[in-house]
Every structure is written in C-alpha cells, then in structure tokens.
Amino acid sequence: MKVADIGKAAVNIAKGLGVTFGEQLKKPITNFYPDTPATVKDGYRGVPVLVQLPTGEFTCTACMACVRACPIGIIQLDTVMVDRKRAMDEFRLEVGRCLQCNLCVESCNFDALVMAPEFELASYTREPLVLYKNDLAKLYAKYFWPKEGEEHHFPARVTSKHHAPGAGTGTPRGPRAAKIAQTGVTLTPGGGGGEPAGKTPVGASVPAESAREATGTTRPQDTGAQKAGEGA
Amino acid sequence: MFGIPEPWWSVIRAVVWALFIIIFLAVNAIVAVWLERKVSGRIQRRIGPQRVGRPIGWAQTIADVFKLLVKEDVRAEATDKWVFLLAPAIPFAAITLMFLVVPWGKNLIPLNLNIGLLFVVAVTSFEVLGLFMAGWGSNNKWALLGAMRTAAAMISYELPMVLAILAVGMTAGSLNMNDVVNAQSRVPFILIQPVAFLIYYIASLAEANRTPFDFTEAESELVAGANIEYSGLRWAFFFLAEYGSLVGTSAIAATLFLGGWRGPILPGPVWFLIKTYLLVYVAMWIRWTLPRVRIDQLLDFGWKFLLPLALADIAVTGIVLALL
C-alpha cells in the first residue's frame, strides 16, 4: 500500500460522499402506489378488452381472427346468427393465463380489441380472472369512454410494427364501424366514420379503405386476414 | 444531601444513573435505527419507513421491538449452552460501562474518574469478547468466521484508536473526561488534532462494526456473522449493542474532539446530543456510500497506515508540547 494510493482513495471517498449527500437533497421518487393511483406508460399491455361504444354496441364482428391468433388458446368466442349475419354472442378470456403478447389485438381487422392498461388483477381464486364480454366492456369503458364533455376517441391500437407516435390511430373500419357512424357517435379525426355507409352490403370495405388512407398505415396482412374473416 | 445519609445517597445516585444510561441506550437504538432507515432511504431517493406512525414512520422501530419481544427464544442443541446464553449481555454491558465516564454537562457525569479515557478504552474491548463468545458458542462455522474476523478487526483498530485518544490526553494534559472538555473551552480539539480525529473516527467505525468495516455482520459473505444463531430478545441485545456502540463511539468523539457539552445558548446536554448525533449521522452517511473493504485490506490499512500515522501524530504532539 502506497501513500499515494491512500491519497487517491481519500479523494475518491470524498467524491462518493459528495454524491450521496447530493442525493439526500433531491426529492424522493417514491410512488405512493396504493394511496395515489399508479400510472402506466402509453402502450402498456394489460388486458385485451372489447371495444364497446357508449351506445352499448360491440364493434366485434365475430370473425374469430383473435381466437386463431391466440398462441395459448385462452380466447373463446360464441357466435349467434342475427339477421342472417354472424354476430358475437359471448366472449371469454382467461386473463390469468394471458401473455399480453398483443397478437389478438394485432390480428383484429376491425379494431374491436384493444389493450387496456389495467394491471390490478390480483384475486384469491382463479374464477375472477376469467373475463366475459361484459367484464371486458366494463374495462373498456373504464379506460376509453369519454369523460364529461369530451368526444369519444377510439384508442390507438399499438402494434409491434406501428409503435411510433401517430401510427395506428385505431379508427374502426369495416361495415360495423360505418353503421356505428350513423348512431351519431363522433369518431376520431380522419376516421372513415363520416361515410354514409348504412346501406353498405356486408363485406364491403369502402370505409375501411378510406380509413387506411387517412391514417396512412399499411398492414400487408390486412387483406388476407380480412378476407379470411369475411369468407368464414 | 436532602437529608439522606451519604452511603445511601451514593447508592441512589448510582441506580438513577444506571437506569438513565440503559434507558438512553434503548431509546437510542430505536431512534438510531429509524434514522438509519431514513438516511439510507434518502440517499437512495426513497423515503424510508412512513406507514407506522405517519407521516414520518416514527413508530416503526417500536413496532419492531414488540415483534422481537414476543419471538421465541431459540437455542440449537449443539450450542455451548452458557457461553451461548451469556454472550448477548456482554457487548451491551461494555457499552453501558462506556457511558459511565461520558460528561453530559457541567458536573453532569455519572462517575468522574481521573482515568476516564483509559476506562473507555478498557471497557470497549469487552465488546469483542461478547461477539467472540457468540461466535464460539453458536457452534456454527459462519458464526465462528464472523467472530474471528471481528476479533481481528477490533484488535487491529484498538491500537490506533488508543494512540489517537492518547494524543488528546497529551494535549489536554489529563485523562479525566471533565478536564478534556474544559481544555476545549476556547478551541475544540478537532482543530488542534485533526489527524487524531480522523484516526479515531476511522477506528471507531471499525470498533462499532460499521460499514466499510462491518465484518461482524457481512450479510453478503457470512449470512449474519457472529449473531447468526440468535433470535428474538437475545438478537435484539446484539442489535442494541451495535447501535449503542455507534452512539458510544460518537459520544466519545464528540467529547474528545468537538468540545463535548460546550456550546453557546443551549444547555450542555442538548449540545452533547447534537454533536453526538451529528457524528452518528456521518457514520450512516459513510455506511450508505462505501462498500465493505476486504478483510486483508482492513488489516493492512490498520497496521500499516493508521498505526504509524497515529505514532507520528503522538511524536509531533510531544515535540510541539515540549517546545511550547
């Protein structure tokens, strides 16, 4: 041990003490979580929830794309025929096993599934972790329904490809969205909801195309998946 | 005094002082643990305990004490019964004895020994005995390793510490604690003997088993060190002694180098506590800044640097005193 080493050590210890003393003067960054609500970052994947408009209508078309996309098969979708058209009757999601992989959301051609930033899912048994369509709609309403005096904006769908801000504004497409547009709900700016498409035949994709052009998003898998959904 | 005959008066005085010191050490452990957690929290930009006793968490350590009181007193079969059971009392007794000669104010000293400094040095050495008994009696290799390291560290650091105290004794011209404080009526000894203060403070960190010299505990290496087999109240006594030793060495440092109870406006005991807890805070600040040194580095530093430095300091002090 040299005396010079001791001197060097003394200088460094003084530096370290200076750093720790400075830290004490800064404001703690503690988040008082249960006392004050915690916030999550944009794009946080919590629970995939079903989009339900304030009118009570689901935008889901029962195309089963999400059921096929789910790698662990925790989505079950029961269909029912309404006016000779297939519609979603019940939706079942075992959120306790969900990987938050976002594949169901990305596979949805109608933006009827979005990730809600819900994270307080703890429960004592497994039963509360099986969510049905009304539970999912409740979660959607909790996070995405407009506050008093606001217009309803459909949540941005964050996909792995379009993670940049502005990408995927989540404007609903397809015939259902067009029909919803008639109910008077304001859609996002640039959305295809303004199209008078009430009489559009099932499967017509005019509003969808316009929405895609407006938002400028390109999803090559769209066409195929959509056709598969429509063809079923 | 008060119509009580002299021998009885001495007994009452002794009992009152003993109770005061023990209660002070118990309260100190509670306050110091709370302070330690708060300081560590702030250094890591947390806030430390805050839920028990809102908003500053003042009741957290009290709750911990009650938890320790109701815990089972566990003793393993293979332990050396009496050594194991008696070990926790010894460090605590040593710390209690150390406070016997610490002046709290003018004429406010439990026992005005004329060899106060020597007494402090003598009784603090008992602490290592208790820790070694704990390590030996536990019949556990980690406990024994912790005890061995503690013994090595404490013996190495006792020497520079004694020499630093000796330099103070030379400057003050007395080993009586009251005289040392009175000698600092104009200038505290930290300005006259800064090297001795540094040596004493570094050695006292080792003596109190504080990081960067916390070889008794060394959580990351020895699980818990010498007190690994202890639980409940017996463990609490080790803890009490640890924080008592911290405040004890800080109190001695405050008395020897910072002028003890001397200070303007405020009464003596208040000044004494302020200075003591300032040094306690510095020890905590150091603990949450520096990592633990290696045991051989610790011994190297003690024997090859601090001891020669302390000897040189004494030589210089002697020469200056002879010339003046």
Side-chain angles (χ1 to χ4, degrees):
Chain A
M1 198 188 305
K2 277 175 267 169
V3 176
D5 289 346
I6 302 270
K8 229 184 266 173
V11 170
N12 284 327
I13 287 171
K15 261 187 210 166
L17 287 172
V19 169
T20 45
F21 191 79
E23 289 297 311
Q24 287 175 67
L25 304 176
K26 291 181 189 162
K27 204 168 165 286
I29 51 171
T30 306
N31 191 351
F32 295 85
Y33 160 55
D35 298 336
T36 58
T39 54
V40 294
K41 293 272 186 269
D42 285 345
Y44 177 83
R45 297 175 192 169
V47 184
V49 294
L50 281 169
V51 174
Q52 189 189 30
L53 298 169
T55 54
E57 196 162 1
F58 288 97
T59 52
C60 177
T61 58
C63 72
M64 309 291 260
C66 51
V67 178
R68 280 192 297 275
C70 183
I72 43 174
I74 56 166
I75 301 176
Q76 284 175 23
L77 211 162
D78 297 342
T79 56
V80 69
M81 295 305 277
V82 180
D83 294 339
R84 297 175 60 214
K85 275 176 262 166
R86 199 173 54 173
M88 190 253 302
D89 184 37
E90 185 55 281
F91 191 93
R92 183 178 179 276
L93 176 76
E94 253 188 276
V95 75
R97 292 171 61 200
C98 180
L99 303 168
Q100 278 101 12
C101 69
N102 210 33
L103 287 178
C104 52
V105 174
E106 288 189 41
S107 72
C108 185
N109 292 309
F110 303 97
D111 284 356
L113 266 179
V114 286
M115 277 289 180
E118 171 76 20
F119 59 93
E120 290 164 316
L121 289 163
S123 74
Y124 286 101
T125 57
R126 266 172 282 182
E127 283 76 27
L129 294 175
V130 179
L131 300 182
Y132 294 91
K133 68 174 181 188
N134 288 333
D135 308 318
L136 295 169
K138 238 177 257 165
L139 280 178
Y140 177 77
K142 180 180 168 189
Y143 287 104
F144 299 116
W145 271 15
K147 306 270 179 310
E148 198 73 26
E150 280 179 18
E151 287 185 342
H152 182 239
H153 288 269
F154 286 98
R157 179 171 66 167
V158 181
T159 68
S160 49
K161 275 182 193 145
H162 312 298
H163 218 102
T169 53
T171 313
R173 292 168 292 237
R176 195 59 69 93
K179 211 162 99 192
I180 289 154
Q182 282 192 319
T183 62
V185 179
T186 319
L187 298 176
T188 43
E195 301 265 347
K199 292 171 191 83
T200 319
V202 177
S205 56
V206 177
E209 293 298 340
S210 67
R212 211 166 293 155
E213 278 157 28
T215 54
T217 58
T218 48
R219 294 196 309 151
Q221 81 274 24
D222 253 4
T223 341
Q226 203 164 333
K227 266 183 192 141
E230 284 156 17
Chain B
M1 208 179 279
F2 303 128
I4 303 165
E6 176 45 37
W8 288 109
W9 177 246
S10 299
V11 170
I12 290 168
R13 227 176 75 98
V15 168
V16 168
W17 270 115
L19 280 177
F20 170 75
I21 291 170
I22 288 168
I23 289 168
F24 168 73
L25 284 175
V27 172
N28 160 70
I30 288 170
V31 174
V33 171
W34 174 83
L35 189 68
E36 176 107 58
R37 295 183 62 180
K38 278 288 180 191
V39 168
S40 69
R42 287 311 295 252
I43 283 177
Q44 296 161 1
R45 294 192 73 184
R46 298 182 285 110
I47 37 172
Q50 47 114 10
R51 298 211 182 259
V52 188
R54 279 171 191 269
I56 54 164
W58 57 270
Q60 182 61 57
T61 344
I62 298 170
D64 291 345
V65 167
F66 278 109
K67 182 203 75 177
L68 286 172
L69 282 175
V70 297
K71 269 184 131 178
E72 190 188 351
D73 185 21
V74 182
R75 184 176 70 83
E77 276 272 301
T79 52
D80 189 339
K81 189 178 175 191
W82 287 108
V83 176
F84 181 84
L85 294 183
L86 288 177
I90 291 173
F92 184 66
I95 302 303
T96 315
L97 283 176
M98 187 156 91
F99 272 93
L100 208 55
V101 291
V102 175
W104 285 72
K106 200 169 190 220
N107 298 325
L108 202 60
I109 183 165
L111 192 62
N112 195 7
L113 277 182
N114 57 356
I115 49 158
L117 289 180
L118 190 64
F119 182 79
V120 167
V121 171
V123 293
T124 46
S125 306
F126 275 111
E127 212 189 329
V128 67
L129 182 64
L131 285 166
F132 199 80
M133 276 169 74
W136 186 260
S138 295
N139 197 8
N140 176 315
K141 61 184 168 190
W142 302 116
L144 188 59
L145 270 173
M148 295 273 209
R149 283 175 164 204
T150 312
M154 278 189 164
I155 290 165
S156 316
Y157 278 77
E158 207 108 280
L159 279 172
M161 193 171 172
V162 173
L163 294 174
I165 289 178
L166 194 61
V168 171
M170 285 165 76
T171 318
S174 167
L175 291 180
N176 186 314
M177 295 289 251
N178 269 344
D179 291 350
V180 171
V181 173
N182 288 334
Q184 299 177 73
S185 53
R186 270 180 299 169
V187 188
F189 279 167
I190 187 172
L191 298 177
I192 302 173
Q193 290 278 10
V195 178
F197 174 73
L198 270 180
I199 293 168
Y200 179 85
Y201 202 72
I202 292 170
S204 77
L205 287 178
E207 188 78 19
N209 293 313
R210 302 282 305 178
T211 313
F213 310 121
D214 59 337
F215 287 100
T216 319
E217 296 236 333
E219 295 100 338
S220 45
E221 300 163 36
L222 299 176
V223 196
N227 53 20
I228 186 168
E229 292 287 350
Y230 288 88
S231 65
L233 202 56
R234 285 182 205 282
W235 180 83
F237 263 89
F238 279 115
F239 208 60
L240 211 60
E242 196 185 315
Y243 278 92
S245 154
L246 171 66
V247 79
T249 48
S250 298
I252 301 288
T255 308
L256 297 189
F257 295 101
L258 300 182
W261 48 266
R262 285 192 177 276
I265 306 163
L266 294 170
V270 177
W271 269 113
F272 172 73
L273 284 176
I274 288 173
K275 288 169 179 174
T276 303
Y277 277 93
L278 183 75
L279 290 173
V280 168
Y281 164 75
V282 172
M284 289 171 179
W285 176 21
I286 289 172
R287 172 171 177 186
W288 295 99
T289 305
L290 300 180
R292 187 183 312 125
V293 299
R294 223 165 52 209
I295 181 78
D296 61 307
Q297 292 170 335
L298 168 82
L299 297 182
D300 263 12
F301 186 64
W303 288 105
K304 294 185 190 167
F305 182 75
L306 280 189
L307 189 61
L309 189 66
L311 283 171
D313 187 49
I314 284 185
V316 171
T317 309
I319 291 165
V320 170
L321 282 178
L323 290 178
L324 281 178

